Amino acid sequence: MLLDFQWKLGMAVSSDSCRSLKYPYVAVMLKVADESGQVKKKSFEMTIPQFQNFYRQFKEIAAVIETV
Amino acid sequence: MAGDLESSKALSGLLSGLAQDAFHGHPGITEELLRSQLYPEVPPEEFRPFLAKMRGILKSIASADMDFNQLEAFLTAQTKKQGGITSDQAAVISKFWKSHKTKIRESLMNQSRWDSGLRGLSWRVDGKSQSRHSAQIHTPVAIVELEIGKSGQDQL
């Protein structure tokens, strides 16, 4: 069960392999509880195209849930 | 001798090989492989500094994510340097960067992603019915399965 959803829009500016990176990304932190009630935190990163797909899927879920 | 090092076709191949090694993480692209495949007439002690020079130039261009103006200026400066490159070589490098820039940038971005990525997403909507304790019947629930993991990087 989803307890919390936190997000962050970041911009990677520079790295050791690329001084001029200019790479925007979305970082997400999820707090979920399993059946036993144990709370776990999961974090992951998405590129902007990945995030757009993520967002599209959730928009679809929202639309379907309305019809149920 | 020097004529071989000036071959445009070979240089194009060399840049591809360097990119595969430095950016796309392709294993096994050694100096000897590149030399024997692309510059077989050139002795190793002559090839080595040439390779280092080209690798350095390619890395500088990628690191600065040069646009075409910056690229022109940079390559022109390289042709004017002592022990730099020829204008033919500059043209090959310029052409290479223009056609491979996007892919190289993508690889560099991937290299800087150390946290887990989203590998997959699937979902299902259930119309839940509860008949015993809860007065809530027919509460729809969305179940989302996220596949979170490191994308294609070596795990320690």
Side-chain angles (χ1 to χ4, degrees):
Chain A
M1 180 170 147
L2 182 67
L3 300 174
D4 195 18
F5 181 109
Q6 291 181 322
W7 59 266
K8 174 174 83 190
L9 175 63
M11 174 75 93
V13 166
S14 187
S15 76
D16 62 312
S17 51
C18 186
R19 289 293 187 268
S20 180
L21 204 48
K22 296 174 291 191
Y23 155 58
Y25 62 91
V26 175
V28 171
M29 167 75 89
L30 297 174
K31 218 195 266 182
V32 290
D34 63 20
E35 307 84 43
S36 67
Q38 196 181 40
V39 177
K40 282 203 183 120
K41 277 179 155 174
K42 282 271 175 192
S43 68
F44 60 93
E45 219 178 89
M46 289 178 275
T47 63
I48 299 304
Q50 279 180 331
F51 172 71
Q52 284 166 336
N53 176 55
F54 184 83
Y55 165 73
R56 228 181 354 249
Q57 304 260 18
F58 276 86
K59 235 175 117 173
E60 233 182 283
I61 295 173
V64 168
I65 257 193
E66 291 286 308
T67 69
V68 171
Chain B
M1 193 202 61
D4 286 297
L5 283 181
E6 278 168 32
S7 153
S8 292
K9 194 160 161 234
L11 181 56
S12 220
L14 187 74
L15 294 171
S16 280
L18 283 173
Q20 285 295 330
D21 175 52
F23 309 122
H24 309 310
H26 200 286
I29 299 182
T30 60
E31 178 187 308
E32 186 47 35
L33 179 75
L34 292 170
R35 191 193 69 80
S36 58
Q37 293 286 311
L38 299 164
Y39 297 89
E41 310 293 306
V42 177
E45 55 279 6
E46 219 183 290
F47 181 71
R48 185 165 304 134
F50 173 71
L51 182 67
K53 181 166 64 184
M54 290 306 161
R55 183 189 280 119
I57 288 174
L58 189 59
K59 279 194 156 176
S60 293
I61 296 171
S63 190
D65 191 31
M66 290 188 190
D67 63 29
F68 303 142
N69 288 328
Q70 291 169 312
L71 182 68
E72 278 307 304
F74 176 73
L75 289 174
T76 304
Q78 294 297 311
T79 60
K80 296 194 155 54
K81 259 172 73 168
Q82 180 76 269
I85 59 176
T86 67
S87 43
D88 282 344
Q89 288 170 337
V92 173
I93 295 168
S94 178
K95 189 161 166 227
F96 181 81
W97 178 243
K98 284 173 183 172
S99 50
H100 289 84
K101 177 178 167 142
T102 307
K103 220 175 131 209
I104 290 177
R105 219 179 114 58
E106 234 178 84
S107 284
L108 284 172
M109 279 173 9
N110 278 333
Q111 274 180 17
S112 70
R113 285 167 67 187
W114 305 317
D115 285 337
S116 301
L118 185 64
R119 298 208 340 216
L121 193 168
S122 35
W123 58 269
R124 192 180 83 217
V125 169
D126 287 356
K128 216 153 108 166
S129 297
Q130 290 173 286
S131 60
R132 212 148 153 213
H133 304 287
S134 174
Q136 276 185 347
I137 36 170
H138 202 61
T139 311
V141 165
I143 299 167
V144 179
E145 187 183 72
L146 299 172
E147 196 191 325
I148 297 170
K150 307 254 185 256
S151 30
Q153 284 175 336
D154 292 317
Q155 314 254 345
L156 277 177

